[in-house]
Amino acid sequence: MSQLSFSDLILHLEDRTMDRELQLEVICGTYEEFVVGYQLFTYSGDEKVHQFEQTFADHSHTASVRAVACGGDLLASGGADEIVKLYSMRRRTEMGQLMEHQGTITCLQFHGRHHLLSGSEDGRVAVVRVDNWQREKYLGGHRGGVTALAVHPSGRLALTSGRDRKLLTWDLVRGRVAFRTNLKAAAEFVLWSPDGSTYAVGVQGRCDVYSVATAGVVHSLKSAGKINCAVYISETQLACGDESGQASVFDVSEAGGGRGVSWPAHESRLRAATVVRRSEELSWLVTASSDGWIKVWQAPVPAVTEQPLLVASYNTTCRLTSVTLHVPPERRWPPAGAEEAAVGAVAEQRTDRAAAEQEEDRHPAEQNGATAKRKRPDADQQASPSKRTGKRRRTEEAGASGKPKKTGEREGKAGKVKGMKVMKKSKEKKATKTSKEKKTMKTKQKSLKKVQKANVKGLKALTLKKKKKKKILAIE
């Protein structure tokens, strides 16, 4: 291959930038107090080339960043400074900050576009509404710091793990704990499957997969080293990363038996992982290591039978702690057009039903195509049901003179009748109360009389005994 001059190289790069497409943006939190972002572009030409480019580096935090989360076009980051920073990915600006905790922020998660949940070392989970950024509730069930949290896809349940070795299942509708599970150690991570039928918990270097139906462990997954992170690729595939840098994809279905494929993904500890769905049959697995490397792997959705292909990699030269993804709207799957089509289909069904109901309500002559016009209803028929009932009521209440009674008179008499009924009921209640009180008084009086009689008899017996003793003493 001939070497290009500097000018030819510039022209070559300009040609490539004209044909590039943005695929996604990887956002990482670092120990160096930075939140950094890297966009992945695809350059089209003779061969498709994927390449990372750094987009921003924000130094808003005053301590290490421990958690990052992205929901739609919103980004949240939390760290050891006990603050959650908020960003707009569309405007590329900082929106503000949340100060709801008194400890290091350990985990963040958006649920849809409505709520943000944050866990902290203070043992609480804050539920914040996104539209006004107001805290709705504190979930404080742990005696130690919160290590991980995960929200069910339905939004009705949530899992939290803490340093108190407890796994709590929260009922988010009522805002209280539904179940408590004792663990042998503090969980490193918890996560739900995409369909919510299973959930994974990282404890003591392994990953236990639980079934919601049986509330028991279905698979206990192990790797070459201690498992630090995991993410669901699909309902039946779970990807894990360990301290040795090895990544694995396990089949967690009932028929799969926990079998998996492992490969050396990084040279150092694999710190975080996330996934993005590209199509119905393909996903991209993004892994981040503690030495600063980001790698994107191509993982087939039905089953991973061999080592996934490496799409792109980048050395950030930072000590990474967490990772999340921001996907442009046009690259999200399922695409927005599919959702709009589904909504449109539902709307069409509703309009068809409404049209059918209108056809059923039409006059038979109109349904048969006749040109005869329907007769106009009378004034009484055109009146509303309430007016018709009012007319009938007035005619029925009219006296011998035929004049209807006024509404004020009718309402006054009705009120008097109701008042009389209430008075009668109150008098009856009072009478029953007085009768009960009289009975209780009589029973009390009878009991007192019995006691008095018993006391009198006792006194008489004592006096007789004393007299007898005196007589005996006198005789002696």
Side-chain angles (χ1 to χ4, degrees):
M1 182 177 178
S2 60
Q3 293 182 355
L4 296 174
S5 63
F6 182 74
S7 59
D8 294 337
L9 181 61
I10 295 297
L11 292 172
H12 179 66
L13 290 174
E14 287 179 355
D15 292 338
R16 288 181 64 184
T17 54
M18 292 295 290
D19 298 332
R20 69 177 187 176
E21 295 180 356
L22 176 63
Q23 301 296 328
L24 54 87
E25 186 170 8
V26 181
I27 301 160
C28 305
T30 67
Y31 278 111
E32 291 82 5
E33 306 173 1
F34 280 90
V35 178
V36 292
Y38 303 92
Q39 289 182 342
L40 179 62
F41 290 95
T42 300
Y43 294 92
S44 59
D46 297 336
E47 294 182 0
K48 285 188 177 181
V49 179
H50 300 280
Q51 186 174 352
F52 275 108
E53 292 184 11
Q54 185 172 357
T55 53
F56 69 91
D58 184 79
H59 194 193
S60 298
H61 289 276
T62 59
S64 60
V65 181
R66 301 298 180 86
V68 289
C70 198
D73 291 330
L74 297 175
L75 172 66
S77 63
D81 55 0
E82 305 176 2
I83 299 174
V84 177
K85 297 285 184 178
L86 303 170
Y87 308 89
S88 173
M89 297 302 295
R90 183 168 57 86
R91 298 178 182 176
R92 298 285 166 170
T93 56
E94 184 178 344
M95 298 172 58
Q97 62 185 17
L98 301 174
M99 303 178 69
E100 302 291 346
H101 294 283
Q102 297 178 354
T104 301
I105 310 299
T106 56
C107 44
L108 292 167
Q109 184 177 352
F110 282 94
H111 178 67
R113 299 182 180 179
H114 302 289
H115 291 90
L116 170 65
L117 283 78
S118 59
S120 171
E121 288 286 351
D122 60 4
R124 297 183 298 178
V125 175
V127 182
V128 179
R129 194 169 182 84
V130 170
D131 54 1
N132 55 7
W133 298 112
Q134 296 295 319
R135 174 174 50 82
E136 289 190 346
K137 194 172 183 61
Y138 273 130
L139 305 178
H142 289 283
R143 294 183 179 179
V146 178
T147 58
L149 68 88
V151 183
H152 193 268
S154 66
R156 295 178 176 272
L157 299 174
L159 292 172
T160 60
S161 62
R163 299 194 184 279
D164 56 356
R165 301 180 183 179
K166 302 286 184 182
L167 178 67
L168 303 184
T169 304
W170 292 89
D171 182 356
L172 294 181
V173 177
R174 298 180 180 180
R176 62 186 186 186
V177 178
F179 302 102
R180 295 176 185 270
T181 305
N182 295 322
L183 302 175
K184 294 182 179 179
E188 296 268 341
F189 57 85
V190 292
L191 60 150
W192 289 95
S193 62
D195 59 355
S197 61
T198 61
Y199 59 92
V201 182
V203 182
Q204 291 184 334
R206 67 178 187 277
C207 181
D208 293 334
V209 181
Y210 290 79
S211 172
V212 176
T214 61
V217 178
V218 181
H219 304 289
S220 186
L221 309 176
K222 294 182 179 180
S223 183
K226 178 184 176 183
I227 296 178
N228 295 321
C229 58
V231 63
Y232 274 96
I233 298 176
S234 65
E235 289 79 3
T236 58
Q237 292 186 90
L238 182 64
C240 300
D242 61 18
E243 286 197 348
S244 65
Q246 178 174 295
S248 305
V249 178
F250 297 97
D251 186 356
V252 294
S253 62
E254 293 183 0
R259 294 185 295 271
V261 176
S262 301
W263 72 97
H266 293 267
E267 295 181 359
S268 63
R269 181 175 61 165
L270 210 154
R271 194 69 178 83
T274 185
V275 70
V276 59
R277 194 74 173 263
R278 301 291 297 171
S279 65
E280 193 173 354
E281 299 179 353
L282 182 65
S283 292
W284 278 2
L285 175 66
V286 181
T287 58
S289 59
S290 58
D291 59 355
W293 277 93
I294 302 170
K295 294 185 179 181
V296 181
W297 307 88
Q298 186 173 331
V301 170
V304 178
T305 56
E306 57 184 8
Q307 177 178 337
L309 297 175
L310 180 63
V311 178
S313 61
Y314 189 82
N315 185 9
T316 64
T317 67
C318 299
R319 292 181 297 165
L320 304 180
T321 60
S322 52
V323 65
T324 188
L325 298 177
H326 175 251
V327 183
E330 63 273 9
R331 293 292 178 183
R332 293 171 188 170
W333 194 92
E339 294 180 358
E340 292 176 0
V343 173
V346 173
E348 287 178 0
Q349 290 178 1
R350 290 178 180 174
T351 53
D352 293 341
R353 288 175 187 171
E357 289 175 358
Q358 288 179 0
E359 286 290 333
E360 290 176 358
D361 294 338
R362 286 178 61 190
H363 195 267
E366 293 181 359
Q367 291 181 3
N368 295 329
T371 58
K373 294 182 179 180
R374 294 176 62 183
K375 294 181 180 180
R376 288 189 66 187
D378 298 334
D380 292 340
Q381 293 178 355
Q382 284 182 349
S384 62
S386 61
K387 291 182 180 179
R388 290 201 297 272
T389 55
K391 285 183 179 180
R392 290 173 186 169
R393 197 179 299 147
R394 286 197 292 275
T395 53
E396 289 172 1
E397 292 177 354
S401 61
K403 293 181 180 180
K405 295 181 181 180
K406 294 181 180 180
T407 56
E409 292 177 0
R410 290 198 305 274
E411 290 175 359
K413 287 186 177 181
K416 288 179 182 179
V417 172
K418 287 181 181 178
M420 292 293 288
K421 288 181 180 179
V422 172
M423 290 291 288
K424 283 182 182 179
K425 288 181 180 179
S426 63
K427 285 180 180 179
E428 289 175 358
K429 287 181 181 179
K430 287 180 181 179
T432 52
K433 284 182 180 179
T434 52
S435 62
K436 288 180 180 178
E437 288 175 356
K438 286 179 180 179
K439 287 180 181 179
T440 53
M441 287 294 291
K442 285 180 180 179
T443 52
K444 285 180 180 179
Q445 287 176 359
K446 286 180 181 179
S447 61
L448 286 170
K449 285 179 180 179
K450 288 180 181 179
V451 171
Q452 287 175 357
K453 286 180 181 179
N455 290 334
V456 170
K457 287 180 181 178
L459 288 169
K460 286 180 179 179
L462 286 170
T463 52
L464 288 171
K465 283 181 181 179
K466 286 179 180 179
K467 286 179 180 180
K468 285 179 181 179
K469 284 182 180 179
K470 286 180 180 179
K471 285 180 181 180
I472 290 165
L473 289 169
I475 291 166
E476 290 176 354

